[in-house]
Amino acid sequence: MDRIIERYRKLVFFTWFLTLDLIMFGAFVRLTDSGLGCPDWPGCYGKASPLGALADIHQAATDMPFGPVTLSKAWIEMIHRYVGALLGLLIIAITYMAWRYRRQLGRSPVLATVALVAVCVQGAFGAWTVTHRLMPVVVTAHLVLGLSLLALMTWLAARERPHLAVPAYAARLLPWLAGGLGLLAAQVTLGGWVSTNYAALACMDFPTCHGEWVPEMDFHGGFSLIRALGELPSGEMISQSALTAIHWLHRNFAFVVFLYLGVLAWRMRRVPGVSGPAWLMLALLLAQLLTGLTTIFFQWPLLIAVLHNGGAAGLVLACVVALVRLSTAGGPPLRKL
């Protein structure tokens, strides 16, 4: 029985790590404009890899030298798909073990089943991202669902990791942390909307935007959901004021999240069992502030932009771990140390 438990734990932790890596790589795909590196799905011009599609890729690159298709972008896109397929297989294995050995594991298999459903939905949105030609609402949903899958995998992994018992008085922080996770989810969605609309450089100054605290903005155009990339619902090119509205809202809501989670993490930092996630939250909040400002001042360097996406994933991770541990307040630890 101990061997089964250990295998399950190793599988869960490896899958959790791969999920985090895939999210980071997904940000790299998006930020390098590789989402249409292979403009069909699931293959690349009907082939299993770019090696079989060299002629099609070369022709597309020749016809549109500055278009979305190049050999390097095709490989970036296909590697992302390969890793996503591997992740799906691993979650199928986790779900199988969770049901097959549910008595030995002492865990309900429901959470693993939810993760399996989530990765299937995520795969569907990955396909629609290509078939809908990077439609912003689809790409943003793909990002948000990816972070939701990370939250589920973190939940699964957090149940298996040893930690100190959380005192009963800490239970009062649980609803506050749930609220903070909701604010973080809203901010992540806004960040995804900024990225998928290429609005990161809509405001090049700070703390003002175009030299004003409240610049001219078109919220209706900026937050119209059903439209193609770079366009308004009418088919016209998206305006600068619409992009400014997207950027401005994400930038200013970030301070709300920073203050809320910062105060909450500061209060949790001395609570046994959750001090580790609390310190991680504080570090990541500072890192997010730094990378966000660096993105503006250095005009969106690729590495910093990927790290900014990774910081958002890290905050989700830290909040979920703390939430799982606070849910055990007043009881024994999840596993004995």
Side-chain angles (χ1 to χ4, degrees), residues 68-156:
V69 179
T70 65
L71 183 59
S72 61
K73 290 181 178 181
W75 273 114
I76 291 171
E77 170 65 5
M78 288 306 296
I79 289 172
H80 182 251
R81 295 183 194 180
Y82 297 150
V83 178
L86 175 60
L87 179 65
L89 292 174
L90 290 172
I91 293 178
I92 290 173
I94 288 172
T95 306
Y96 168 78
M97 290 190 70
W99 281 98
R100 175 69 176 80
Y101 302 110
R102 56 188 180 277
R103 292 182 181 177
Q104 295 93 322
L105 294 171
R107 303 288 189 200
S108 168
V110 172
L111 184 59
T113 306
V114 173
L116 177 59
V117 173
V119 78
C120 291
V121 174
Q122 176 70 346
F125 270 90
W128 294 334
T129 293
V130 177
T131 58
H132 285 75
R133 315 297 293 178
L134 304 184
M135 187 178 184
V137 69
V138 175
V139 180
T140 301
H142 188 51
L143 168 65
V144 173
L145 286 169
L147 289 172
S148 299
L149 180 60
L150 176 64
L152 290 169
M153 289 309 307
T154 301
W155 189 352
L156 279 168

Side-chain angles (χ1 to χ4, degrees), residues 144-337:
V144 173
L145 286 169
L147 289 172
S148 299
L149 180 60
L150 176 64
L152 290 169
M153 289 309 307
T154 301
W155 189 352
L156 279 168
R159 297 193 308 181
E160 305 299 325
R161 186 170 177 81
H163 66 81
L164 296 171
V166 180
Y169 70 82
R172 67 176 183 268
L173 295 172
L174 192 59
W176 291 99
L177 183 56
L181 188 58
L183 290 175
L184 179 60
Q187 177 64 358
V188 164
T189 304
L190 288 173
W193 196 243
V194 169
S195 180
T196 56
N197 283 279
Y198 297 89
L201 300 181
C203 296
M204 299 291 291
D205 51 330
F206 183 85
T208 58
C209 179
H210 304 309
E212 300 179 62
W213 291 105
V214 183
E216 179 184 350
M217 292 179 282
D218 176 14
F219 283 97
H220 181 266
F223 290 92
S224 296
L225 299 182
I226 309 303
R227 57 179 174 79
L229 176 63
E231 297 181 1
L232 295 172
S234 62
E236 300 176 64
M237 182 179 294
I238 192 168
S239 64
Q240 180 62 36
S241 59
L243 295 176
T244 299
I246 295 170
H247 180 108
W248 186 89
L249 185 59
H250 175 62
R251 176 192 290 192
N252 287 279
F253 194 70
F255 291 105
V256 175
V257 177
F258 183 88
L259 290 173
Y260 186 101
L261 288 181
V263 171
L264 185 59
W266 187 256
R267 292 185 62 186
M268 294 193 305
R269 77 192 192 284
R270 292 185 178 177
V271 177
V274 293
S275 59
W279 281 111
L280 179 59
M281 286 169 62
L282 288 170
L284 287 172
L285 285 169
L286 290 174
Q288 283 298 87
L289 180 62
L290 179 62
T291 54
L293 293 177
T294 304
T295 296
I296 296 170
F297 293 136
F298 292 95
Q299 300 185 19
W300 211 25
L302 178 61
L303 176 60
I304 299 300
V306 172
L307 289 176
H308 193 62
N309 279 262
L315 281 171
V316 170
L317 184 158
C319 285
V320 172
V321 171
L323 200 65
V324 171
R325 294 186 180 183
L326 284 176
S327 67
T328 69
L334 295 180
R335 298 279 191 207
K336 292 183 179 180
L337 292 170

